């Protein structure tokens, strides 16, 4: 069976990606990250989705990774201790305060490490896909959602 390690935020993008991976026959290890975000409801949604899938015959290994203390080092309105989350259209300058620096890079590094561990854990090396639910529709204020950012990591 094909395997994948997925960064599962609990939002629409990563939840859809989880369902896609399962539909094409992957065994999925889903990792969610608690980095001190104010909007932690997505972590609850991730847990609920995985539980729903398990109740309906799907096997998903899910773990929440706590990155304690990280929010104290990041300057973003999205983390606990940051300024108030601004309101307005995403293209406005004030929304730049919602950037969590290198968030997707942090997540991708961890899921890559887990994928490598799975790939080399048996007698035979196996291919393990990595998956993040980011897309080109994310606004330009989020540099780690750009294809160029992803490709620079390869």
């Amino acid at each position: 069976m094909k395997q994948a390690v997925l960064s599962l935020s609990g939002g629409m993008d990563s939840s859809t990606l989880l369902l896609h991976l399962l539909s094409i026959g992957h065994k999925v290890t889903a990792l969610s990250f608690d980095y001190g975000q104010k909007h932690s409801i997505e972590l609850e949604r991730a847990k609920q989705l995985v539980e729903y899938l398990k109740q309906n015959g799907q096997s998903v290994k899910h773990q929440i990774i706590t990155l304690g203390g990280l929010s104290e080092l990041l300057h973003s309105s999205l983390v606990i201790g940051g300024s108030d989350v601004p309101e307005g259209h995403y293209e406005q300058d004030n929304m730049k305060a919602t950037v969590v620096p290198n968030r997707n890079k942090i997540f991708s590094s961890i899921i890559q490490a887990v994928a490598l561990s799975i790939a080399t854990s048996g007698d035979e090396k196996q291919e393990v896909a990595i998956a993040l639910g980011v897309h080109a529709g994310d606004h330009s204020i989020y540099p780690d959602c750009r294809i160029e950012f992803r490709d620079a990591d390869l």
Side-chain angles (χ1 to χ4, degrees):
M1 177 177 269
K2 297 180 262 182
Q3 294 201 48
V5 179
L6 165 71
S7 174
L8 179 65
S9 71
M12 180 177 59
D13 302 332
S14 63
S15 296
T16 300
L17 185 52
L18 170 59
L19 296 173
H20 172 71
L21 290 168
L22 293 170
S23 76
I24 60 173
H26 281 76
K27 178 180 177 184
V28 178
T29 299
L31 302 179
S32 299
F33 300 95
D34 181 349
Y35 57 93
Q37 63 268 44
K38 291 177 182 174
H39 194 91
S40 60
I41 188 69
E42 287 187 341
L43 293 175
E44 288 302 315
R45 296 294 183 254
K47 287 192 282 188
Q48 290 171 350
L49 175 58
V50 169
E51 188 57 37
Y52 173 82
L53 290 168
K54 287 180 179 181
Q55 290 173 359
N56 287 279
Q58 296 289 334
S59 176
V60 178
K61 183 177 182 180
H62 180 237
Q63 185 168 339
I64 296 177
I65 307 295
T66 303
L67 302 172
L70 186 60
S71 65
E72 297 169 20
L73 302 171
L74 300 175
H75 300 285
S76 173
S77 63
L78 294 187
V79 298
I80 295 168
S83 59
D84 290 340
V85 177
E87 294 185 21
H89 192 270
Y90 275 107
E91 298 299 330
Q92 294 175 341
D93 271 349
N94 67 333
M95 295 308 285
K96 290 179 182 176
T98 65
V99 172
V100 178
N102 271 7
R103 176 176 56 188
N104 288 329
K105 173 66 175 169
I106 294 165
F107 299 166
S108 67
S109 181
I110 293 170
I111 66 171
Q112 287 171 1
V114 172
L116 283 170
S117 181
I118 292 169
T120 59
S121 65
D123 292 334
E124 291 184 30
K125 289 185 179 181
Q126 55 185 316
E127 188 173 314
V128 180
I130 58 169
L132 284 103
V134 295
H135 62 82
D138 280 335
H139 300 278
S140 60
I141 61 171
Y142 302 117
D144 61 348
C145 292
R146 310 271 58 87
I147 290 172
E148 298 81 11
F149 188 93
R150 184 211 60 206
D151 290 349
D153 190 36
L154 298 176

